[in-house]
């Protein structure tokens, strides 16, 4: 059965089960089509790293994506349905090749390093894989104030910090620890304890430190959102409420994240999105 590029990206977004998908449902069709295509692009390049065990093969695939993006923005038709679906929206929502290349750069960092010495180093990674995504999303949602970009970058960081907390166990099984090395030392948690799923009071204290920083980042992001764009950025606020509820769920579970991936049910995510839509915050 042949599938259209639009159907392909819709399937990709829906299948991911991501919290983002539930926020997209409330957008008008043109914006929904644009964010779905962009999100599918992010998933495609992220999957290259997560699903390809050979680093050389993954690097080759990311190089292919880099060249496809360059060709697409040079006006050549793309071979891939994700770019076929995304490119018609690029000029409408100020999506540039630099945005897409930055997302690829972030995924490439996963091939080159599996530890971060300190939080500023981790922030650089978060900027590429989440801050840039937030910037593009804010533009698609209907940004009018330049200050909204600063909000979007900060909110992207909050989302990524939540992902890191949720995925400590999954990432460790891939040989990656995103918790900064100097913070592991600060709480006297050895890397091999994380890799071997070793819970302790020290690990819980380390994770509480991570969660507190994530909560502060959400608060800082929300304070940066200009009133003029609050209504347009409602999908981002839906995602923030879903992600923050997840963070609180992880805290309530005493950070039992090494042996399982704590998540919210689809019904709960949809309910939070609907509540945010009604309340407007």
């Amino acid at each position: 059965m042949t599938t259209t590029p639009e159907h392909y990206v819709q399937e990709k977004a829906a299948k991911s089960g991501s919290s983002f998908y539930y926020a997209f449902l409330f957008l008008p069709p043109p914006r929904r089509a644009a964010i779905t295509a962009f999100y599918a692009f992010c998933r495609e390049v992220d999957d290259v790293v997560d699903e390809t065990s050979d680093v050389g093969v993954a690097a080759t695939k990311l190089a292919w994506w880099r060249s496809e993006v360059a060709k697409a923005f040079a006006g050549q038709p793309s071979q891939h349905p994700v770019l076929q679906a995304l490119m018609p929206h690029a000029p409408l929502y100020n999506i540039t090749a630099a945005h897409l290349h930055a997302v690829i750069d972030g995924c490439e960092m996963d091939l080159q390093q599996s530890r971060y010495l300190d939080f500023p180093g981790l922030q650089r990674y978060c900027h590429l894989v989440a801050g840039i995504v937030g910037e593009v999303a804010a533009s698609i949602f209907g940004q009018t104030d330049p200050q909204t970009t600063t909000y979007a970058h900060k909110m992207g960081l909050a989302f990524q910090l939540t992902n890191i907390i949720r995925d400590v166990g999954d990432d460790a099984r891939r040989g990656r620890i995103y918790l900064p090395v100097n913070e592991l030392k600060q709480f006297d948690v050895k890397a091999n304890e994380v890799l071997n799923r070793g819970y302790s009071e020290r690990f819980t204290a380390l994770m509480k430190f991570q969660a507190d920083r994530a909560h502060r980042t959400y608060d800082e992001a929300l304070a940066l959102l200009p009133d003029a764009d609050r209504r347009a950025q409602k999908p981002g606020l839906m995602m923030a409420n879903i992600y923050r509820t997840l963070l609180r769920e992880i805290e309530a579970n005493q950070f039992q994240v090494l042996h399982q991936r704590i998540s919210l049910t689809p019904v709960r995510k949809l309910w939070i999105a609907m509540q945010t839509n009604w309340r407007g915050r």
Side-chain angles (χ1 to χ4, degrees):
M1 186 183 89
T2 57
T3 182
T4 65
E6 290 70 27
H7 185 257
Y8 180 92
V9 296
Q10 177 67 31
E11 287 287 295
K12 187 84 182 170
K15 207 161 54 177
S16 74
S18 165
S19 306
F20 290 74
Y21 178 70
Y22 296 90
F24 301 167
L25 298 174
F26 294 85
L27 284 165
R31 295 185 193 276
R32 187 164 69 233
I35 195 70
T36 302
F38 175 64
Y39 179 71
F41 169 81
C42 296
R43 284 255 54 89
E44 287 284 348
V45 294
D46 194 47
D47 288 349
V48 167
V49 175
D50 286 347
E51 295 174 5
T52 312
S53 53
D54 185 311
V55 172
V57 172
T60 303
K61 286 183 175 181
L62 288 181
W64 180 86
W65 273 107
R66 202 179 288 285
S67 119
E68 277 297 290
V69 167
K71 283 182 198 166
F73 278 89
Q76 296 174 37
S78 174
Q79 299 173 41
H80 202 284
V82 160
L83 285 173
Q84 290 168 12
L86 179 60
M87 288 310 296
H89 303 287
L92 298 173
Y93 301 111
N94 304 312
I95 304 168
T96 66
H99 287 132
L100 304 192
H101 282 145
V103 174
I104 297 170
D105 288 344
C107 292
E108 212 155 45
M109 282 180 79
D110 277 330
L111 301 182
Q112 294 158 356
Q113 71 185 96
S114 55
R115 302 281 193 284
Y116 291 87
L117 292 178
D118 53 25
F119 187 62
L122 180 64
Q123 272 185 292
R124 162 76 183 148
Y125 168 76
C126 292
H127 168 73
L128 294 170
V129 298
I132 294 291
V133 174
E135 180 182 323
V136 173
S139 180
I140 292 172
F141 295 157
Q143 174 179 351
T144 62
D145 188 320
Q147 167 74 17
T148 298
T149 302
T150 312
Y151 145 81
H153 278 265
K154 184 70 79 169
M155 190 60 86
L157 175 61
F159 291 165
Q160 194 61 27
L161 294 178
T162 306
N163 281 340
I164 287 168
I165 292 165
R166 177 195 63 195
D167 294 340
V168 170
D170 277 358
D171 290 330
R173 282 185 278 286
R174 295 187 174 108
R176 295 188 211 131
I177 300 177
Y178 291 100
L179 307 172
V181 171
N182 67 339
E183 293 173 9
L184 287 166
K185 282 186 179 162
Q186 183 185 332
F187 289 90
D188 192 29
V189 174
K190 307 286 185 291
N192 71 324
E193 292 178 67
V194 177
L195 297 170
N196 295 324
R197 306 186 206 180
Y199 290 106
S200 64
E201 286 183 7
R202 291 170 290 109
F203 175 76
T204 304
L206 166 67
M207 296 308 289
K208 185 174 185 327
F209 178 82
Q210 305 298 319
D212 288 347
R213 176 164 56 208
H215 279 302
R216 280 197 309 277
T217 308
Y218 281 110
D219 290 338
E220 288 163 12
L222 291 168
L224 288 166
L225 177 59
D227 285 340
D229 277 353
R230 192 166 289 277
R231 187 179 178 82
Q233 297 302 318
K234 215 188 278 183
L237 299 177
M238 291 176 190
M239 291 186 279
N241 287 336
I242 291 169
Y243 263 74
R244 211 162 184 182
T245 302
L246 171 64
L247 182 57
R248 291 188 182 110
E249 192 86 359
I250 292 167
E251 289 172 308
N253 273 272
Q254 304 295 309
F255 301 103
Q256 296 286 298
V257 290
L258 292 174
H259 70 290
Q260 65 182 347
R261 192 175 193 264
I262 295 170
S263 60
L264 305 179
T265 64
V267 168
R268 195 163 171 202
K269 290 177 188 175
L270 184 59
W271 176 243
I272 294 166
M274 288 167 69
Q275 281 184 311
T276 309
N277 192 45
W278 295 329
R279 290 199 315 261
R281 59 187 172 78

